Amino acid sequence: MEPYLASHLDTVRSLTVKVLDTTPEELLDVVPPGYSNSIRWNLGHIVYVQERLAYEVAGKDIHLPDQYARLFAAGTKPADWNETPPSIEEIRQQLVDQSARIKASHQSDLNTPLSHPFTNKSGITFDTVGGCLLFSCFHEGLHLDTIRHYLRQLKK
């Protein structure tokens, strides 16, 4: 993996884990007024989407329990959950393990064309794993900002 991308993945993920580690447990599952999701949902969504962008769109198996798709895919929300979500400790471990796994498994294929270009919900099309991973950092940053916004609102 290119050093700049590996460093960027690590930097973004360390910011996410730091926010998780400083979030009071009693706020993890609170859905702020006017929103559909919680901090736990945002963290699980970060893990799920990055896994999809790193593996599934490249035609590879993802390394997450099936419930991550049911609970954390785009369009899902805690109000619709019919099962117990992963513990925050499990989500934290997934966040930590995922970065190392992605860096190890994408040592030399960042510029390899995807067999089928991937177009996300915003209409952006990606044709390489590297492009997907770069976008996943942006996506994670958006959700990290959402978590920070929730925390400011919930701590008032």
Side-chain angles (χ1 to χ4, degrees):
M1 176 170 284
E2 298 291 333
Y4 73 90
L5 181 54
S7 175
H8 194 63
L9 286 167
D10 285 342
T11 298
V12 174
R13 187 52 53 93
S14 69
L15 292 170
T16 300
V17 171
K18 182 177 179 180
V19 167
L20 166 57
D21 288 345
T22 59
T23 297
E25 189 171 346
E26 64 271 11
L27 298 181
L28 290 170
D29 294 307
V30 177
V31 176
Y35 294 92
S36 300
N37 291 305
S38 63
I39 292 170
R40 182 187 309 265
W41 181 90
N42 276 275
L43 293 165
H45 180 73
I46 288 169
V47 171
Y48 176 69
V49 168
Q50 188 159 67
E51 193 77 13
R52 285 198 66 223
L53 291 171
Y55 296 104
E56 188 175 58
V57 300
K60 299 180 180 183
D61 291 334
I62 64 171
H63 304 89
L64 294 173
D66 293 340
Q67 79 174 151
Y68 277 71
R70 292 189 303 271
L71 300 175
F72 303 121
T76 63
K77 59 184 182 281
D80 295 337
W81 289 351
N82 295 315
E83 60 189 290
T84 303
S87 70
I88 202 61
E89 293 80 12
E90 179 185 333
I91 293 172
R92 186 188 191 286
Q93 195 62 52
Q94 290 288 357
L95 286 163
V96 171
D97 293 348
Q98 186 179 58
S99 293
R101 185 175 65 250
I102 288 171
K103 289 187 301 183
S105 62
H106 289 296
Q107 288 294 320
S108 60
D109 66 349
L110 295 177
N111 294 316
T112 303
L114 299 173
S115 58
H116 303 289
F118 171 71
T119 302
N120 69 10
K121 282 180 38 175
S122 300
I124 302 168
T125 299
F126 304 97
D127 55 8
T128 65
V129 171
C132 289
L133 289 174
L134 284 171
F135 180 78
S136 76
C137 290
F138 170 75
H139 175 265
E140 185 165 341
L142 290 174
H143 284 277
L144 181 56
D145 188 56
T146 296
I147 292 168
R148 288 178 173 149
H149 177 77
Y150 283 12
L151 287 169
R152 283 190 301 274
Q153 186 173 349
L154 294 171
K155 288 180 178 179
K156 287 182 179 181

